[in-house]
Amino acid sequence: MTEYEPLELSMPAPAFRPGDVPDFSDRAFTLPGAVRKPPVDEEPEDMRDLAFQTIRVLTDDGVAVGPWAPELSPEELIAGVANMLRVRVLDRRMMNAQRQAKTSFYMRALGEEAVACAFQTTLEPGDMSFPTYRQQGLLVTAGYPLVDMMNQIFSNEADPLKGRQLPIMYSSRAHGFFSISGNLATQFVQAVGWAMASAIKGEKAIATGWIGEGSTAESDFHSAMVFASTYSAPVVLNIVNNQWAISTYQGVARGHATTFAARGVAFGIPALRVDGNDYLAVYAAARWATERARRSLGPTLIEWVTYRAGAHSSSDDPSAYRPKSEASSWPLGDPIERLTNHLIMLGAWTMADYEALEVSIEAEVLAAQTEAEAHGTMAGGPNAPRDIFEDVYEEMPTRLIEQREEAGYS
């Protein structure tokens, strides 16, 4: 009988840990402009190559090159910088507010603002996004008031959700932003189901689903992919690969086995892999995918390659599991700087223009925060307890009326 050694398991480990010097020279990103752009109606089996390349538009010098380079006006590009700045300044101020006990929890999108901000510009009224907690750029770009966002974060008397959601779990049907779920990957099955319902009713609205790369390990991801591909649902399914889950790197979800976009190939779904820090590439890929959905050509899976430059949340300390210099070493750069450099290269803007915009947005966000804090913060107590009895039933049952009265509220 053959003698074997005791069985062993293996655990993927990141290339760099605290104290190491990050070196991403082995990351093979396709050169800007080198990836072909297929017709929007190309068959999925003919575009499998796109799942293994990286769609990029901007060069290191800020020049837009290649077939994916979109025709956006300087005004549209400046609006893109402004929306990304709003998200970044909002994030910074709300993180500080959390440290001051004005809210219990916060999550930033630092370094990955382009993904949501650029994508939102391709959506139309009536479309519905099913986001995670790091797509606040969808709401900001859609024009959702910053004061309302902050009221929800502070759970104050003007909170549109009346304190019933964890801070940063926004909801706005009018802005095409479905209530955020804290459970991983639920967004994908919800988006596919909503898109199928839209088609069944003969409507024209499409859906978008959003998850992080770690959530591709959840069963809901695979269920959504089966239904999306089987029924050719009008949906764009987005995987935001920002390299890190809470404290585990992408390899735990098999990110180094192949690309996350490649998961679409097995389901016969067109799949794109895109430089998520390139605003122009994000816009172009999103426009292409939403066009497919609007023409009933089926779903598209997109992997946005980006980097979570900040902590996972206000409860996280990334210095415990990755080098402090890793974010600054990320080879795809900062999305705001890259789009700003492109505008300057075009001669449509100057660094002084950018600095003036930054000052203006700082003032805008501060004014919104001042107004929101006038309605209260969690430091002064959350919503009144009476609110827990409201908006549950169309007609409040007798037992709840009695409980409310026992609590001292008529």
Side-chain angles (χ1 to χ4, degrees):
M1 182 177 179
T2 304
E3 290 292 328
Y4 295 99
E5 295 294 323
L7 298 173
E8 297 180 353
L9 298 176
S10 63
M11 179 65 183
F16 318 113
R17 283 299 193 185
D20 295 335
V21 177
D23 179 7
F24 291 105
S25 59
D26 63 334
R27 292 295 182 98
F29 294 119
T30 314
L31 292 175
V35 178
R36 71 183 183 90
K37 184 178 182 180
V40 73
D41 59 352
E42 183 167 315
E43 293 298 325
E45 58 266 26
D46 295 331
M47 61 176 88
R48 294 180 178 181
D49 55 309
L50 299 182
F52 302 95
Q53 303 177 71
T54 310
I55 297 171
R56 302 173 66 193
V57 171
L58 290 173
T59 67
D60 292 341
D61 297 326
V63 180
V65 297
W68 288 92
E71 295 182 1
L72 294 175
S73 68
E75 291 74 21
E76 290 173 306
L77 298 176
I78 292 170
V81 174
N83 284 321
M84 289 192 288
L85 268 174
R86 285 189 184 91
V87 173
R88 187 164 294 187
V89 175
L90 168 70
D91 282 355
R92 184 175 69 249
R93 296 201 68 87
M94 291 301 96
M95 184 64 80
N96 289 340
Q98 191 278 334
R99 300 308 190 211
Q100 297 166 354
K102 294 178 180 178
T103 184
S104 61
F105 185 74
Y106 196 75
M107 302 184 81
R108 293 188 292 174
L110 183 63
E112 52 191 273
E113 296 91 347
V115 176
C117 291
F119 196 106
Q120 178 63 41
T121 63
T122 71
L123 298 178
E124 298 180 1
D127 294 341
M128 185 62 70
S129 291
F130 292 77
T132 71
Y133 34 67
R134 223 179 295 278
Q135 277 80 57
Q136 52 265 57
L138 295 173
L139 274 179
V140 170
T141 303
Y144 189 66
L146 293 179
V147 173
D148 288 348
M149 294 183 73
M150 294 178 183
N151 286 336
Q152 195 276 327
I153 293 165
F154 293 142
S155 298
N156 60 28
E157 63 181 10
D159 175 7
L161 304 183
K162 298 183 178 180
R164 295 192 177 113
Q165 278 275 49
L166 186 73
I168 60 85
M169 289 194 174
Y170 317 103
S171 175
S172 178
R173 181 175 183 178
H175 293 82
F177 195 93
F178 199 84
S179 302
I180 294 177
S181 167
N183 297 328
L184 298 181
T186 58
Q187 295 83 358
F188 259 36
V189 286
Q190 292 166 349
V192 172
W194 194 96
M196 290 173 62
S198 181
I200 290 170
K201 291 185 290 185
E203 297 179 350
K204 297 182 178 180
I206 66 171
T208 71
W210 299 80
I211 59 173
E213 82 284 346
S215 296
T216 61
E218 296 286 330
S219 59
D220 278 352
F221 167 79
H222 300 279
S223 297
M225 296 290 281
V226 169
F227 274 80
S229 60
T230 299
Y231 297 103
S232 194
V235 63
V236 182
L237 298 171
N238 301 280
I239 302 170
V240 182
N241 177 10
N242 63 13
Q243 313 306 308
W244 288 93
I246 294 178
S247 59
T248 56
Y249 89 119
Q250 60 158 337
V252 176
R254 304 307 295 139
H256 284 176
T258 184
T259 68
F260 287 99
R263 286 150 172 74
V265 174
F267 292 92
I269 295 177
L272 307 178
R273 191 170 192 255
V274 184
D275 178 351
N277 288 14
D278 182 339
Y279 187 94
L280 298 186
V282 175
Y283 173 86
R287 176 65 69 188
W288 185 90
T290 54
E291 177 70 10
R292 279 186 56 86
R294 295 190 200 286
R295 292 176 56 180
S296 292
L297 294 171
T300 303
L301 180 72
I302 306 179
E303 174 190 354
W304 305 105
V305 183
T306 182
Y307 187 88
R308 170 167 63 76
H312 176 74
S313 73
S314 54
S315 303
D316 175 47
D317 178 9
S319 67
Y321 53 81
R322 70 186 189 192
K324 291 183 178 180
S325 61
E326 189 170 286
S328 60
S329 301
W330 179 243
L332 296 181
D334 180 271
I336 297 178
E337 290 180 7
R338 290 176 67 185
L339 187 55
T340 298
N341 291 339
H342 175 59
L343 276 161
I344 294 173
M345 185 280 306
L346 291 176
W349 226 27
T350 65
M351 184 53 68
D353 292 325
Y354 169 80
E355 292 170 352
L357 177 65
E358 191 174 28
V359 170
S360 174
I361 287 177
E362 288 277 3
E364 174 189 343
V365 177
L366 175 59
Q369 183 174 358
T370 301
E371 181 178 346
E373 290 187 3
H375 295 291
T377 68
M378 290 196 73
N383 277 274
R386 67 175 180 276
D387 289 340
I388 67 174
F389 298 96
E390 304 293 338
D391 301 330
V392 179
Y393 297 95
E394 183 176 2
E395 294 185 11
M396 190 179 297
T398 302
R399 60 183 176 83
L400 283 188
I401 294 175
E402 293 173 350
Q403 290 176 19
R404 185 177 64 178
E405 291 175 348
E406 289 175 2
Y409 302 101
S410 57

mmCIF file of all heavy atoms in Angstrom, residues 118-151:
data_model
loop_
_atom_site.group_PDB
_atom_site.id
_atom_site.type_symbol
_atom_site.label_atom_id
_atom_site.label_comp_id
_atom_site.label_asym_id
_atom_site.label_seq_id
_atom_site.Cartn_x
_atom_site.Cartn_y
_atom_site.Cartn_z
ATOM 1 N N ALA A 118 -18.343 58.042 -13.437
ATOM 2 C CA ALA A 118 -18.401 57.968 -14.897
ATOM 3 C C ALA A 118 -19.556 57.084 -15.347
ATOM 4 O O ALA A 118 -20.250 57.387 -16.328
ATOM 5 C CB ALA A 118 -17.085 57.450 -15.453
ATOM 6 N N PHE A 119 -19.778 55.981 -14.653
ATOM 7 C CA PHE A 119 -20.845 55.054 -15.050
ATOM 8 C C PHE A 119 -22.207 55.730 -14.991
ATOM 9 O O PHE A 119 -23.040 55.558 -15.891
ATOM 10 C CB PHE A 119 -20.837 53.815 -14.144
ATOM 11 C CG PHE A 119 -21.614 52.660 -14.703
ATOM 12 C CD1 PHE A 119 -20.960 51.563 -15.229
ATOM 13 C CD2 PHE A 119 -23.005 52.662 -14.725
ATOM 14 C CE1 PHE A 119 -21.665 50.505 -15.775
ATOM 15 C CE2 PHE A 119 -23.719 51.610 -15.247
ATOM 16 C CZ PHE A 119 -23.048 50.522 -15.780
ATOM 17 N N GLN A 120 -22.443 56.513 -13.938
ATOM 18 C CA GLN A 120 -23.763 57.125 -13.752
ATOM 19 C C GLN A 120 -24.152 58.007 -14.934
ATOM 20 O O GLN A 120 -25.337 58.119 -15.266
ATOM 21 C CB GLN A 120 -23.771 57.951 -12.451
ATOM 22 C CG GLN A 120 -25.083 58.688 -12.180
ATOM 23 C CD GLN A 120 -26.267 57.757 -11.997
ATOM 24 O OE1 GLN A 120 -26.157 56.725 -11.348
ATOM 25 N NE2 GLN A 120 -27.413 58.117 -12.569
ATOM 26 N N THR A 121 -23.188 58.611 -15.596
ATOM 27 C CA THR A 121 -23.513 59.507 -16.711
ATOM 28 C C THR A 121 -24.076 58.766 -17.916
ATOM 29 O O THR A 121 -24.601 59.388 -18.839
ATOM 30 C CB THR A 121 -22.268 60.309 -17.155
ATOM 31 O OG1 THR A 121 -21.276 59.405 -17.650
ATOM 32 C CG2 THR A 121 -21.696 61.121 -16.003
ATOM 33 N N THR A 122 -23.980 57.437 -17.920
ATOM 34 C CA THR A 122 -24.529 56.655 -19.033
ATOM 35 C C THR A 122 -25.928 56.132 -18.738
ATOM 36 O O THR A 122 -26.536 55.505 -19.603
ATOM 37 C CB THR A 122 -23.608 55.460 -19.371
ATOM 38 O OG1 THR A 122 -23.691 54.475 -18.331
ATOM 39 C CG2 THR A 122 -22.170 55.909 -19.554
ATOM 40 N N LEU A 123 -26.421 56.371 -17.536
ATOM 41 C CA LEU A 123 -27.745 55.891 -17.155
ATOM 42 C C LEU A 123 -28.803 56.947 -17.452
ATOM 43 O O LEU A 123 -28.511 58.141 -17.555
ATOM 44 C CB LEU A 123 -27.767 55.509 -15.680
ATOM 45 C CG LEU A 123 -26.823 54.366 -15.289
ATOM 46 C CD1 LEU A 123 -26.900 54.100 -13.797
ATOM 47 C CD2 LEU A 123 -27.146 53.106 -16.081
ATOM 48 N N GLU A 124 -30.045 56.495 -17.570
ATOM 49 C CA GLU A 124 -31.160 57.373 -17.899
ATOM 50 C C GLU A 124 -32.218 57.306 -16.805
ATOM 51 O O GLU A 124 -32.263 56.330 -16.035
ATOM 52 C CB GLU A 124 -31.765 56.960 -19.251
ATOM 53 C CG GLU A 124 -30.791 57.088 -20.421
ATOM 54 C CD GLU A 124 -31.402 56.679 -21.751
ATOM 55 O OE1 GLU A 124 -32.601 56.304 -21.766
ATOM 56 O OE2 GLU A 124 -30.688 56.729 -22.772
ATOM 57 N N PRO A 125 -33.083 58.334 -16.720
ATOM 58 C CA PRO A 125 -34.162 58.291 -15.726
ATOM 59 C C PRO A 125 -34.985 57.012 -15.876
ATOM 60 O O PRO A 125 -35.348 56.621 -16.978
ATOM 61 C CB PRO A 125 -34.987 59.531 -16.075
ATOM 62 C CG PRO A 125 -34.008 60.468 -16.712
ATOM 63 C CD PRO A 125 -33.083 59.589 -17.503
ATOM 64 N N GLY A 126 -35.226 56.358 -14.765
ATOM 65 C CA GLY A 126 -35.972 55.104 -14.780
ATOM 66 C C GLY A 126 -35.087 53.895 -14.598
ATOM 67 O O GLY A 126 -35.548 52.851 -14.118
ATOM 68 N N ASP A 127 -33.813 53.992 -15.004
ATOM 69 C CA ASP A 127 -32.879 52.892 -14.776
ATOM 70 C C ASP A 127 -32.690 52.715 -13.268
ATOM 71 O O ASP A 127 -32.828 53.675 -12.494
ATOM 72 C CB ASP A 127 -31.526 53.173 -15.427
ATOM 73 C CG ASP A 127 -31.596 53.219 -16.949
ATOM 74 O OD1 ASP A 127 -32.578 52.695 -17.510
ATOM 75 O OD2 ASP A 127 -30.672 53.782 -17.564
ATOM 76 N N MET A 128 -32.328 51.503 -12.857
ATOM 77 C CA MET A 128 -32.155 51.251 -11.427
ATOM 78 C C MET A 128 -30.808 50.592 -11.154
ATOM 79 O O MET A 128 -30.459 49.580 -11.773
ATOM 80 C CB MET A 128 -33.273 50.346 -10.906
ATOM 81 C CG MET A 128 -33.253 50.120 -9.400
ATOM 82 S SD MET A 128 -33.469 51.644 -8.430
ATOM 83 C CE MET A 128 -35.194 52.016 -8.784
ATOM 84 N N SER A 129 -30.062 51.172 -10.220
ATOM 85 C CA SER A 129 -28.789 50.602 -9.788
ATOM 86 C C SER A 129 -28.966 49.894 -8.450
ATOM 87 O O SER A 129 -29.671 50.386 -7.565
ATOM 88 C CB SER A 129 -27.722 51.696 -9.649
ATOM 89 O OG SER A 129 -27.355 52.213 -10.910
ATOM 90 N N PHE A 130 -28.310 48.759 -8.324
ATOM 91 C CA PHE A 130 -28.330 47.979 -7.087
ATOM 92 C C PHE A 130 -26.902 47.981 -6.549
ATOM 93 O O PHE A 130 -26.095 47.111 -6.871
ATOM 94 C CB PHE A 130 -28.837 46.563 -7.370
ATOM 95 C CG PHE A 130 -30.288 46.524 -7.744
ATOM 96 C CD1 PHE A 130 -30.702 46.891 -9.020
ATOM 97 C CD2 PHE A 130 -31.262 46.162 -6.812
ATOM 98 C CE1 PHE A 130 -32.053 46.884 -9.363
ATOM 99 C CE2 PHE A 130 -32.602 46.157 -7.148
ATOM 100 C CZ PHE A 130 -33.003 46.521 -8.431
ATOM 101 N N PRO A 131 -26.571 48.975 -5.730
ATOM 102 C CA PRO A 131 -25.172 49.235 -5.358
ATOM 103 C C PRO A 131 -24.744 48.563 -4.066
ATOM 104 O O PRO A 131 -25.554 48.040 -3.284
ATOM 105 C CB PRO A 131 -25.175 50.754 -5.199
ATOM 106 C CG PRO A 131 -26.548 51.015 -4.638
ATOM 107 C CD PRO A 131 -27.473 50.010 -5.248
ATOM 108 N N THR A 132 -23.442 48.616 -3.834
ATOM 109 C CA THR A 132 -22.898 48.286 -2.527
ATOM 110 C C THR A 132 -22.660 49.605 -1.803
ATOM 111 O O THR A 132 -23.092 50.668 -2.249
ATOM 112 C CB THR A 132 -21.576 47.506 -2.633
ATOM 113 O OG1 THR A 132 -20.532 48.382 -3.093
ATOM 114 C CG2 THR A 132 -21.698 46.325 -3.583
ATOM 115 N N TYR A 133 -21.942 49.538 -0.708
ATOM 116 C CA TYR A 133 -21.722 50.708 0.134
ATOM 117 C C TYR A 133 -20.583 51.597 -0.357
ATOM 118 O O TYR A 133 -20.191 52.511 0.344
ATOM 119 C CB TYR A 133 -21.412 50.251 1.562
ATOM 120 C CG TYR A 133 -20.643 48.951 1.626
ATOM 121 C CD1 TYR A 133 -19.337 48.868 1.164
ATOM 122 C CD2 TYR A 133 -21.247 47.801 2.115
ATOM 123 C CE1 TYR A 133 -18.642 47.678 1.198
ATOM 124 C CE2 TYR A 133 -20.550 46.597 2.146
ATOM 125 C CZ TYR A 133 -19.245 46.538 1.689
ATOM 126 O OH TYR A 133 -18.558 45.350 1.709
ATOM 127 N N ARG A 134 -20.013 51.326 -1.550
ATOM 128 C CA ARG A 134 -18.920 52.170 -2.024
ATOM 129 C C ARG A 134 -19.230 52.800 -3.376
ATOM 130 O O ARG A 134 -18.339 53.198 -4.107
ATOM 131 C CB ARG A 134 -17.618 51.368 -2.101
ATOM 132 C CG ARG A 134 -16.410 52.139 -1.552
ATOM 133 C CD ARG A 134 -15.134 51.317 -1.621
ATOM 134 N NE ARG A 134 -15.151 50.156 -0.777
ATOM 135 C CZ ARG A 134 -14.886 50.165 0.529
ATOM 136 N NH1 ARG A 134 -14.573 51.297 1.127
ATOM 137 N NH2 ARG A 134 -14.928 49.056 1.239
ATOM 138 N N GLN A 135 -20.524 52.900 -3.713
ATOM 139 C CA GLN A 135 -20.925 53.553 -4.958
ATOM 140 C C GLN A 135 -21.676 54.863 -4.693
ATOM 141 O O GLN A 135 -22.618 55.212 -5.401
ATOM 142 C CB GLN A 135 -21.796 52.615 -5.809
ATOM 143 C CG GLN A 135 -21.013 51.631 -6.638
ATOM 144 C CD GLN A 135 -20.551 50.434 -5.825
ATOM 145 O OE1 GLN A 135 -21.365 49.745 -5.222
ATOM 146 N NE2 GLN A 135 -19.249 50.186 -5.808
ATOM 147 N N GLN A 136 -21.247 55.614 -3.670
ATOM 148 C CA GLN A 136 -21.883 56.896 -3.405
ATOM 149 C C GLN A 136 -21.755 57.844 -4.587
ATOM 150 O O GLN A 136 -22.539 58.781 -4.747
ATOM 151 C CB GLN A 136 -21.327 57.546 -2.137
ATOM 152 C CG GLN A 136 -19.813 57.676 -2.071
ATOM 153 C CD GLN A 136 -19.169 56.534 -1.337
ATOM 154 O OE1 GLN A 136 -19.361 55.390 -1.712
ATOM 155 N NE2 GLN A 136 -18.400 56.837 -0.288
ATOM 156 N N GLY A 137 -20.781 57.589 -5.467
ATOM 157 C CA GLY A 137 -20.613 58.416 -6.658
ATOM 158 C C GLY A 137 -21.808 58.340 -7.589
ATOM 159 O O GLY A 137 -22.063 59.288 -8.346
ATOM 160 N N LEU A 138 -22.551 57.240 -7.569
ATOM 161 C CA LEU A 138 -23.775 57.148 -8.378
ATOM 162 C C LEU A 138 -24.768 58.219 -7.935
ATOM 163 O O LEU A 138 -25.356 58.929 -8.762
ATOM 164 C CB LEU A 138 -24.407 55.758 -8.241
ATOM 165 C CG LEU A 138 -23.621 54.557 -8.777
ATOM 166 C CD1 LEU A 138 -24.330 53.264 -8.386
ATOM 167 C CD2 LEU A 138 -23.467 54.635 -10.292
ATOM 168 N N LEU A 139 -24.964 58.327 -6.635
ATOM 169 C CA LEU A 139 -25.915 59.310 -6.110
ATOM 170 C C LEU A 139 -25.428 60.735 -6.327
ATOM 171 O O LEU A 139 -26.199 61.615 -6.737
ATOM 172 C CB LEU A 139 -26.140 59.078 -4.615
ATOM 173 C CG LEU A 139 -27.196 58.054 -4.206
ATOM 174 C CD1 LEU A 139 -27.268 57.952 -2.689
ATOM 175 C CD2 LEU A 139 -28.568 58.403 -4.772
ATOM 176 N N VAL A 140 -24.158 60.978 -6.035
ATOM 177 C CA VAL A 140 -23.621 62.334 -6.184
ATOM 178 C C VAL A 140 -23.743 62.798 -7.626
ATOM 179 O O VAL A 140 -24.186 63.922 -7.904
ATOM 180 C CB VAL A 140 -22.152 62.381 -5.721
ATOM 181 C CG1 VAL A 140 -21.502 63.708 -6.104
ATOM 182 C CG2 VAL A 140 -22.061 62.182 -4.205
ATOM 183 N N THR A 141 -23.382 61.937 -8.582
ATOM 184 C CA THR A 141 -23.449 62.301 -9.991
ATOM 185 C C THR A 141 -24.881 62.437 -10.467
ATOM 186 O O THR A 141 -25.177 63.235 -11.363
ATOM 187 C CB THR A 141 -22.705 61.255 -10.840
ATOM 188 O OG1 THR A 141 -21.353 61.150 -10.367
ATOM 189 C CG2 THR A 141 -22.670 61.643 -12.307
ATOM 190 N N ALA A 142 -25.799 61.689 -9.861
ATOM 191 C CA ALA A 142 -27.216 61.772 -10.228
ATOM 192 C C ALA A 142 -27.897 63.007 -9.655
ATOM 193 O O ALA A 142 -29.059 63.273 -9.957
ATOM 194 C CB ALA A 142 -27.959 60.519 -9.770
ATOM 195 N N GLY A 143 -27.171 63.765 -8.826
ATOM 196 C CA GLY A 143 -27.733 64.998 -8.291
ATOM 197 C C GLY A 143 -28.472 64.853 -6.979
ATOM 198 O O GLY A 143 -29.196 65.770 -6.564
ATOM 199 N N TYR A 144 -28.296 63.739 -6.294
ATOM 200 C CA TYR A 144 -28.935 63.572 -4.991
ATOM 201 C C TYR A 144 -28.320 64.593 -4.026
ATOM 202 O O TYR A 144 -27.096 64.729 -3.943
ATOM 203 C CB TYR A 144 -28.695 62.154 -4.479
ATOM 204 C CG TYR A 144 -29.476 61.789 -3.243
ATOM 205 C CD1 TYR A 144 -30.857 61.691 -3.269
ATOM 206 C CD2 TYR A 144 -28.818 61.515 -2.036
ATOM 207 C CE1 TYR A 144 -31.569 61.328 -2.135
ATOM 208 C CE2 TYR A 144 -29.515 61.155 -0.895
ATOM 209 C CZ TYR A 144 -30.891 61.061 -0.948
ATOM 210 O OH TYR A 144 -31.604 60.708 0.180
ATOM 211 N N PRO A 145 -29.140 65.333 -3.289
ATOM 212 C CA PRO A 145 -28.609 66.401 -2.427
ATOM 213 C C PRO A 145 -27.628 65.886 -1.371
ATOM 214 O O PRO A 145 -27.906 64.904 -0.683
ATOM 215 C CB PRO A 145 -29.867 66.986 -1.769
ATOM 216 C CG PRO A 145 -30.979 66.657 -2.719
ATOM 217 C CD PRO A 145 -30.623 65.314 -3.287
ATOM 218 N N LEU A 146 -26.495 66.561 -1.254
ATOM 219 C CA LEU A 146 -25.513 66.178 -0.246
ATOM 220 C C LEU A 146 -26.093 66.281 1.160
ATOM 221 O O LEU A 146 -25.757 65.476 2.039
ATOM 222 C CB LEU A 146 -24.281 67.079 -0.355
ATOM 223 C CG LEU A 146 -23.427 66.944 -1.627
ATOM 224 C CD1 LEU A 146 -22.266 67.925 -1.567
ATOM 225 C CD2 LEU A 146 -22.922 65.525 -1.811
ATOM 226 N N VAL A 147 -26.972 67.244 1.378
ATOM 227 C CA VAL A 147 -27.590 67.404 2.700
ATOM 228 C C VAL A 147 -28.395 66.163 3.062
ATOM 229 O O VAL A 147 -28.329 65.673 4.201
ATOM 230 C CB VAL A 147 -28.482 68.658 2.742
ATOM 231 C CG1 VAL A 147 -29.254 68.729 4.060
ATOM 232 C CG2 VAL A 147 -27.641 69.916 2.561
ATOM 233 N N ASP A 148 -29.137 65.606 2.107
ATOM 234 C CA ASP A 148 -29.912 64.403 2.375
ATOM 235 C C ASP A 148 -29.007 63.222 2.674
ATOM 236 O O ASP A 148 -29.310 62.383 3.525
ATOM 237 C CB ASP A 148 -30.822 64.080 1.184
ATOM 238 C CG ASP A 148 -31.993 65.049 1.062
ATOM 239 O OD1 ASP A 148 -32.231 65.813 2.021
ATOM 240 O OD2 ASP A 148 -32.659 65.042 0.007
ATOM 241 N N MET A 149 -27.884 63.125 1.948
ATOM 242 C CA MET A 149 -26.932 62.051 2.228
ATOM 243 C C MET A 149 -26.407 62.173 3.653
ATOM 244 O O MET A 149 -26.330 61.181 4.388
ATOM 245 C CB MET A 149 -25.772 62.094 1.234
ATOM 246 C CG MET A 149 -26.168 61.788 -0.201
ATOM 247 S SD MET A 149 -24.763 61.769 -1.345
ATOM 248 C CE MET A 149 -23.973 60.216 -0.878
ATOM 249 N N MET A 150 -26.061 63.390 4.050
ATOM 250 C CA MET A 150 -25.511 63.593 5.386
ATOM 251 C C MET A 150 -26.567 63.380 6.462
ATOM 252 O O MET A 150 -26.265 62.844 7.538
ATOM 253 C CB MET A 150 -24.915 64.988 5.490
ATOM 254 C CG MET A 150 -23.697 65.196 4.610
ATOM 255 S SD MET A 150 -23.086 66.892 4.744
ATOM 256 C CE MET A 150 -21.728 66.862 3.564
ATOM 257 N N ASN A 151 -27.804 63.776 6.196
ATOM 258 C CA ASN A 151 -28.874 63.528 7.166
ATOM 259 C C ASN A 151 -29.015 62.033 7.439
ATOM 260 O O ASN A 151 -29.237 61.609 8.581
ATOM 261 C CB ASN A 151 -30.200 64.080 6.643
ATOM 262 C CG ASN A 151 -30.280 65.592 6.704
ATOM 263 O OD1 ASN A 151 -29.590 66.227 7.498
ATOM 264 N ND2 ASN A 151 -31.111 66.180 5.871
#
